[in-house]
Amino acid sequence: MDFAQLATFQAVIESGSFDAAARELHVTPSAVSQRIKALERSVGQVLVRRTKPCVATPAGEALVRFAGQVALLEREAIGQARGGTRVSIVVNADSLHTWFLPALLAVPGPQYELHTDDEYFTADLLRSGTAMAAVTADDAPVQGCRIERLGAMRYLAVGRPEDQAMVRYNRKDHLQHRLMPDKSDTSEHFVPSASAFIEAVRIGLGWGLVPDWIARDDIAAGLYQDLNPGRHLDVPLYWQYWRIGSEVLEELTAAVKAAAAPYLRS
């Protein structure tokens, strides 16, 4: 038996009309009518009297009880399973290193599986189905996903004037070239860890782009200087997540937006 049809039948009987059931289920009245007709064909009986209000026929009364039992079991199963829910998320390295993790602490219960990639590539894991949600610089909604703007992460080009090498996260990382194109032909070091990247710039391995709230503290401490005073690079970040009506994803979305607010620029 089709559970969508069964749930629609229950909604019609409880609400008293096809139109009210459609509003409750967020579908069209035509879709409600088609589901009820399909359910009636599958059992070979008329189940709903099309009166005002709609009521179940004698054949439909047994299904009313069954539909209520199924709905109860579903709610109980979801409640028991939520603690074992696995949520897969892809996050750019700088967000993961700085502001993102407290969002997970705010939504306890699920088992989190985190992936990391360059912010311009994280949405690829949404498209492939590997991740349910992503922090991404891609502002084009992935099919089947909702998108929320988080703000912009601001970067400063920092280092010592004598630094000749450029520090990059990996070969996908081209932020340095965008802010300092005149120094893009220097030698390069690749450091694929956000914390190690920042430390590499601090000890003088080379110059690189560092989030501004970290860079300003380090500049004040005399660890390096701003190599391009008055200029910065803002990278807009978005939260994209599956549009499936998941309570966990909705709670996580609110937590991610709250965690990002103190660090990202509006």
Side-chain angles (χ1 to χ4, degrees), residues 222-255:
L223 298 179
Y224 45 61
Q225 65 187 57
D226 188 343
L227 299 178
N228 204 346
R231 294 195 62 198
H232 56 262
L233 178 66
D234 284 349
V235 177
L237 294 177
Y238 303 86
W239 174 248
Q240 293 208 43
Y241 61 103
W242 286 357
R243 188 173 60 238
I244 57 174
S246 164
E247 182 180 346
V248 170
L249 288 180
E250 294 295 341
E251 291 178 5
L252 186 59
T253 296

Side-chain angles (χ1 to χ4, degrees), residues 54-93:
C54 292
V55 295
T57 65
E61 289 174 357
L63 276 185
V64 172
R65 294 189 296 273
F66 179 66
Q69 292 166 356
V70 169
L72 178 60
L73 289 173
E74 181 182 29
R75 288 194 297 270
E76 290 178 350
I78 290 173
Q80 294 170 4
R82 182 173 177 179
T85 300
R86 183 177 297 277
V87 179
S88 177
I89 308 168
V90 57
V91 190
N92 64 306

